[in-house]
Amino acid sequence: MNRRLLLLALFLLAFAGLILHYRIHPFFIADKVDPSIVTFKAINFIAFLFSLFDLLVVTILFLSRGTAVYGYLFNGIIVIYGTVLMAHFSIAGIIAKPLPIFEMILRSTLPHIMISWADFFVGKVLYDLYIKG
Protein backbone atom coordinates (compact mmCIF):
# COMPACT_ATOMS: atom_id res chain seq x y z
CA MET A 1 0.00 0.00 0.00
CA ASN A 2 2.77 2.46 0.89
CA ARG A 3 4.48 1.79 -2.42
CA ARG A 4 1.35 2.73 -4.38
CA LEU A 5 0.97 5.97 -2.42
CA LEU A 6 4.62 6.84 -3.03
CA LEU A 7 4.21 6.11 -6.75
CA LEU A 8 1.16 8.39 -6.79
CA ALA A 9 3.11 11.12 -4.96
CA LEU A 10 6.01 10.72 -7.43
CA PHE A 11 3.60 10.99 -10.35
CA LEU A 12 1.77 14.02 -8.92
CA LEU A 13 4.98 15.90 -8.14
CA ALA A 14 6.30 15.21 -11.64
CA PHE A 15 2.95 16.29 -13.13
CA ALA A 16 3.03 19.52 -11.10
CA GLY A 17 6.56 20.13 -12.38
CA LEU A 18 5.43 19.53 -15.95
CA ILE A 19 2.57 22.02 -15.64
CA LEU A 20 4.82 24.63 -14.00
CA HIS A 21 7.45 24.14 -16.68
CA TYR A 22 4.95 24.63 -19.47
CA ARG A 23 3.49 27.71 -17.77
CA ILE A 24 6.93 29.28 -17.37
CA HIS A 25 8.45 28.00 -20.63
CA PRO A 26 5.66 27.64 -23.23
CA PHE A 27 7.07 26.32 -26.49
CA PHE A 28 4.25 27.65 -28.68
CA ILE A 29 4.29 31.44 -28.38
CA ALA A 30 1.83 33.79 -30.06
CA ASP A 31 3.31 36.82 -31.82
CA LYS A 32 2.67 40.07 -29.91
CA VAL A 33 1.72 41.97 -33.07
CA ASP A 34 -0.33 39.22 -34.72
CA PRO A 35 -1.56 36.61 -32.21
CA SER A 36 -2.64 34.31 -35.06
CA ILE A 37 1.07 33.70 -35.79
CA VAL A 38 2.51 31.10 -33.44
CA THR A 39 6.23 30.49 -33.08
CA PHE A 40 7.83 27.28 -31.84
CA LYS A 41 10.66 27.79 -29.32
CA ALA A 42 12.86 24.69 -29.33
CA ILE A 43 14.78 25.62 -26.16
CA ASN A 44 11.54 25.81 -24.18
CA PHE A 45 10.49 22.48 -25.66
CA ILE A 46 13.70 20.89 -24.35
CA ALA A 47 12.88 22.18 -20.85
CA PHE A 48 9.42 20.66 -21.23
CA LEU A 49 10.94 17.32 -22.29
CA PHE A 50 12.88 17.00 -19.03
CA SER A 51 9.63 17.26 -17.08
CA LEU A 52 7.82 14.92 -19.46
CA PHE A 53 10.65 12.38 -19.11
CA ASP A 54 10.34 12.64 -15.34
CA LEU A 55 6.58 12.15 -15.48
CA LEU A 56 6.51 9.19 -17.85
CA VAL A 57 9.82 7.36 -17.91
CA VAL A 58 10.92 7.81 -14.30
CA THR A 59 7.49 6.90 -12.95
CA ILE A 60 7.33 3.79 -15.18
CA LEU A 61 10.84 2.76 -14.11
CA PHE A 62 9.76 2.94 -10.47
CA LEU A 63 6.90 0.49 -11.11
CA SER A 64 9.25 -2.49 -10.95
CA ARG A 65 11.95 -3.54 -8.53
CA GLY A 66 14.25 -4.48 -11.43
CA THR A 67 14.13 -1.03 -13.00
CA ALA A 68 13.79 1.09 -9.85
CA VAL A 69 17.55 1.69 -9.77
CA TYR A 70 17.33 3.36 -13.19
CA GLY A 71 14.35 5.42 -12.06
CA TYR A 72 16.35 6.54 -9.04
CA LEU A 73 19.37 7.37 -11.23
CA PHE A 74 17.39 9.37 -13.81
CA ASN A 75 15.38 11.09 -11.08
CA GLY A 76 18.61 12.22 -9.42
CA ILE A 77 20.13 13.45 -12.68
CA ILE A 78 17.00 15.43 -13.54
CA VAL A 79 16.92 17.02 -10.08
CA ILE A 80 20.58 18.02 -10.21
CA TYR A 81 20.33 19.50 -13.71
CA GLY A 82 17.05 21.19 -12.83
CA THR A 83 18.45 22.69 -9.64
CA VAL A 84 21.50 24.09 -11.42
CA LEU A 85 19.51 25.49 -14.34
CA MET A 86 16.71 26.95 -12.21
CA ALA A 87 19.17 28.47 -9.73
CA HIS A 88 21.08 30.03 -12.63
CA PHE A 89 17.82 31.46 -13.98
CA SER A 90 17.01 32.99 -10.57
CA ILE A 91 20.50 34.37 -9.98
CA ALA A 92 20.58 35.94 -13.45
CA GLY A 93 17.22 37.60 -12.70
CA ILE A 94 18.41 38.88 -9.33
CA ILE A 95 21.57 40.34 -10.84
CA ALA A 96 19.56 42.02 -13.60
CA LYS A 97 17.10 43.62 -11.18
CA PRO A 98 18.02 43.72 -7.47
CA LEU A 99 15.03 43.41 -5.15
CA PRO A 100 14.46 43.23 -1.39
CA ILE A 101 15.32 39.77 0.00
CA PHE A 102 11.72 38.71 0.66
CA GLU A 103 10.67 39.64 -2.87
CA MET A 104 13.73 37.88 -4.30
CA ILE A 105 12.66 34.65 -2.61
CA LEU A 106 9.06 34.99 -3.78
CA ARG A 107 10.09 35.67 -7.39
CA SER A 108 12.87 33.09 -7.46
CA THR A 109 12.69 29.51 -8.65
CA LEU A 110 13.28 28.29 -5.09
CA PRO A 111 9.73 26.85 -4.76
CA HIS A 112 10.20 24.98 -8.05
CA ILE A 113 13.56 23.65 -6.88
CA MET A 114 11.92 22.47 -3.64
CA ILE A 115 9.21 20.62 -5.61
CA SER A 116 11.96 18.98 -7.63
CA TRP A 117 13.81 17.85 -4.50
CA ALA A 118 10.57 16.59 -2.93
CA ASP A 119 10.11 14.47 -6.06
CA PHE A 120 13.65 13.14 -5.60
CA PHE A 121 13.13 12.29 -1.93
CA VAL A 122 9.91 10.42 -2.69
CA GLY A 123 11.87 8.47 -5.32
CA LYS A 124 14.61 7.79 -2.75
CA VAL A 125 12.14 6.34 -0.25
CA LEU A 126 10.52 4.27 -3.01
CA TYR A 127 13.93 2.97 -4.10
CA ASP A 128 14.82 2.09 -0.50
CA LEU A 129 11.54 0.15 -0.17
CA TYR A 130 12.42 -1.90 -3.25
CA ILE A 131 15.99 -2.57 -2.14
CA LYS A 132 15.32 -3.30 1.54
CA GLY A 133 12.10 -5.16 0.87
Side-chain angles (χ1 to χ4, degrees):
M1 184 62 166
N2 287 338
R3 206 171 285 159
R4 279 191 237 146
L5 287 174
L6 287 169
L7 279 165
L8 179 62
L10 190 75
F11 176 82
L12 291 174
L13 285 165
F15 191 53
L18 179 76
I19 293 168
L20 278 172
H21 241 192
Y22 186 72
R23 189 183 77 188
I24 295 167
H25 306 291
F27 47 88
F28 290 117
I29 299 171
D31 188 59
K32 291 180 182 178
V33 176
D34 185 2
S36 66
I37 299 172
V38 177
T39 307
F40 176 75
K41 286 192 76 173
I43 193 71
N44 288 359
F45 184 68
I46 293 168
F48 177 79
L49 284 179
F50 274 109
S51 294
L52 187 63
F53 184 85
D54 185 24
L55 177 69
L56 299 176
V57 176
V58 171
T59 303
I60 288 169
L61 288 172
F62 270 113
L63 289 174
S64 165
R65 179 185 179 147
T67 57
V69 66
Y70 300 110
Y72 182 49
L73 175 72
F74 288 135
N75 202 17
I77 290 169
I78 290 168
V79 168
I80 291 167
Y81 277 126
T83 299
V84 170
L85 293 171
M86 287 187 283
H88 169 72
F89 181 72
S90 281
I91 292 167
I94 290 167
I95 290 171
K97 184 181 177 188
L99 299 167
I101 188 77
F102 185 70
E103 203 168 331
M104 273 194 282
I105 292 169
L106 286 177
R107 292 180 184 222
S108 75
T109 56
L110 183 61
H112 308 111
I113 292 170
M114 291 189 304
I115 289 171
S116 179
W117 279 97
D119 179 75
F120 173 75
F121 291 133
V122 168
K124 168 70 170 125
V125 172
L126 195 53
Y127 173 75
D128 286 346
L129 279 175
Y130 279 119
I131 297 306
K132 295 175 184 169

